[in-house]
Amino acid sequence: SIIDPILALLVALFILKVAYDVLRKSFGGLVDMKLPDTEESTVRAAITEHFGGDVVDYHALRTRKAGSQRYIDLHLVLPNSTSLDEAHRVCDHLEQDIESKLGNTSVVIHVEPCTTECRQCAVSCTMRDPD
């Protein structure tokens, strides 16, 4: 007579666990959630691949996922001598690079000029002393 309540309790706990898992997965598709760490590291790697050429740095990286669509926005720091055409070209290339690696992705990039002198920077710009 004790086995029935114990089995009923185990079945109830199993049902609650399955319900929790289903709700957690479906809730993530309904509200915006941060991209998984693996996808975010893919984004970071795509950005850092452009370092040393035209890109000085980046910050304010924000990622989210709503349903199957990914949204990424970031601030990209370029040398202050970069023309508008060059900045647009760099941003287009970076957007295409990220979108090709992740798919279903919308990328928004805010460009900022480099305003600090940095000796470790591989980008040649007018902000650095020509030592």
Side-chain angles (χ1 to χ4, degrees), residues 43-50 55 58 74-76 88-100 107 109:
V43 172
R44 291 180 188 279
I47 298 168
T48 56
E49 283 176 7
H50 292 80
V55 177
Y58 75 97
L74 62 117
H75 294 196
L76 196 63
H88 184 73
R89 180 189 51 77
V90 169
C91 290
D92 280 348
H93 185 264
L94 182 57
E95 288 171 10
Q96 290 171 358
D97 194 21
I98 292 171
E99 290 169 1
S100 71
V107 181
I109 300 175

Side-chain angles (χ1 to χ4, degrees), residues 3-25:
I3 293 178
D4 276 347
I6 292 174
L7 286 176
L9 184 60
L10 289 174
V11 169
L13 289 174
F14 179 73
I15 290 171
L16 286 174
K17 185 201 177 308
V18 169
Y20 172 77
D21 291 343
V22 168
L23 282 173
R24 189 182 65 181
K25 287 180 185 176

